[in-house]
Amino acid sequence: MKRQIDQIPNCAECTNDSKVFCSLSLEEKEVLSAGKGNNYYKKGQVIFYEGNHSNGLYCIHNGKVKLTKLGEDGKEQVIRFAKTGDILGYRSSLSNEPYNATASAMEDSHICHLSREKYIALMAENPKLSWNTMQVLSKDLKNAEQHLINIAQKTVKERIAEALILIYDTFGITDDNQSLNVLLSRSEIADIAGTTTETTIRTLAALHKEELIFLKGKSIKILDLKSLTRAAGIYE
């Protein structure tokens, strides 16, 4: 990806499918876009740090981001992923509290920085924007609660299979219609599943042997999505 800041258009011209900003009129998007920061981050570069004062929120124009927290032992743990069209740092911006996680680019990414004051002012004028923001907050809370339940009640195999489903739902697959459209380390997958790296390696190997997935380095192919979903203990 070339470092071309002008690749990020005005908010009114942006075609990303953002569930938060879809309710804004062209005029409101122009207001939001005024003074917007158009930022380029190389792979591994930090967007904001856990504990730093919130100075606005971010919208991913293109790229992939991981959010991590430091445990008591100083170990970094992945808590969430974000992709094109997602917003970051909105909870801290709304509560005017420090960021509760560190966000870093998983690949070269273009990310917009939006003014906290303008966003809050638009929420006061546009009930649909407030409603959309509440829905995103509610979804995050639901996912966090479900994650705690899974760690307490599901087997390791179920949690790792569900982690793969989550990655599949977040980033999709490549043109071969099988490979996950992101490369993650075994420790990153272990963080999402709430287990150790060693256990994750063994469990992924078992899923590979069962021909639910295919492993090649960091690349993971989903060979049988329905069976993997059942292995995750997810039933429609």
Side-chain angles (χ1 to χ4, degrees):
M1 182 184 294
K2 295 181 180 179
R3 183 172 182 173
Q4 296 178 347
I5 298 302
D6 59 3
Q7 287 184 1
I8 303 181
N10 181 291
C11 292
E13 300 170 351
C14 185
T15 58
N16 284 341
D17 182 22
S18 174
K19 295 179 180 179
V20 175
F21 301 128
C22 61
S23 64
L24 296 179
S25 66
L26 290 178
E27 291 77 10
E28 288 171 325
K29 290 180 180 179
E30 291 284 359
V31 170
L32 187 64
S33 188
K36 171 172 66 75
N38 297 338
N39 302 321
Y40 172 82
Y41 297 90
K42 292 190 69 65
K43 180 180 178 180
Q45 188 173 353
V46 172
I47 301 159
F48 55 80
Y49 285 95
E50 177 183 358
N52 279 8
H53 177 70
S54 170
N55 59 359
L57 61 159
Y58 297 81
C59 183
I60 304 174
H61 179 66
N62 56 53
K64 300 180 179 73
V65 173
K66 67 177 180 180
L67 289 99
T68 61
K69 288 184 70 69
L70 287 177
E72 293 183 359
D73 57 356
K75 180 180 179 295
E76 181 183 86
Q77 180 165 343
V78 179
I79 59 170
R80 187 163 66 90
F81 297 113
K83 62 184 185 305
T84 297
D86 288 345
I87 58 174
L88 309 169
Y90 52 91
R91 283 180 293 174
S92 299
S93 293
L94 293 176
S95 62
N96 197 25
E97 295 177 345
Y99 293 116
N100 62 0
T102 295
S104 54
M106 300 172 66
E107 63 182 24
D108 292 357
S109 304
H110 289 87
I111 301 176
C112 302
H113 178 263
L114 305 173
S115 163
R116 172 181 178 270
E117 289 74 19
K118 289 181 180 179
Y119 187 77
I120 291 176
L122 284 173
M123 286 181 61
E125 297 174 0
N126 189 323
K128 286 186 178 180
L129 177 60
S130 299
W131 176 250
N132 291 343
T133 303
M134 288 174 58
Q135 286 187 310
V136 172
L137 288 167
S138 297
K139 182 179 179 182
D140 283 351
L141 179 59
K142 175 184 176 182
N143 290 339
E145 291 173 341
Q146 188 61 52
H147 184 62
L148 290 174
I149 293 172
N150 290 347
I151 291 176
Q153 299 182 357
K154 286 195 172 186
T155 66
V156 170
K157 180 179 179 180
E158 287 175 328
R159 299 203 308 266
I160 290 177
E162 186 167 5
L164 295 177
I165 298 297
L166 171 64
I167 296 165
Y168 171 87
D169 289 339
T170 302
F171 297 118
I173 52 178
T174 61
D175 293 338
D176 67 4
N177 291 323
Q178 288 185 317
S179 301
L180 293 175
N181 192 27
V182 65
L183 299 178
L184 297 174
S185 67
R186 299 300 187 254
S187 62
E188 288 172 326
I189 297 173
D191 286 345
I192 294 298
T195 187
T196 65
T197 301
E198 294 75 14
T199 299
T200 298
I201 292 171
R202 291 195 300 269
T203 307
L204 288 174
L207 293 172
H208 174 96
K209 187 175 182 180
E210 294 175 28
E211 298 185 347
L212 301 185
I213 63 174
F214 179 81
L215 303 173
K216 185 176 181 180
K218 287 187 177 181
S219 175
I220 300 178
K221 289 185 178 181
I222 306 296
L223 302 181
D224 189 338
L225 182 60
K226 289 185 177 180
S227 295
L228 184 65
T229 301
R230 288 195 294 269
I234 301 173
Y235 301 96
E236 298 294 339

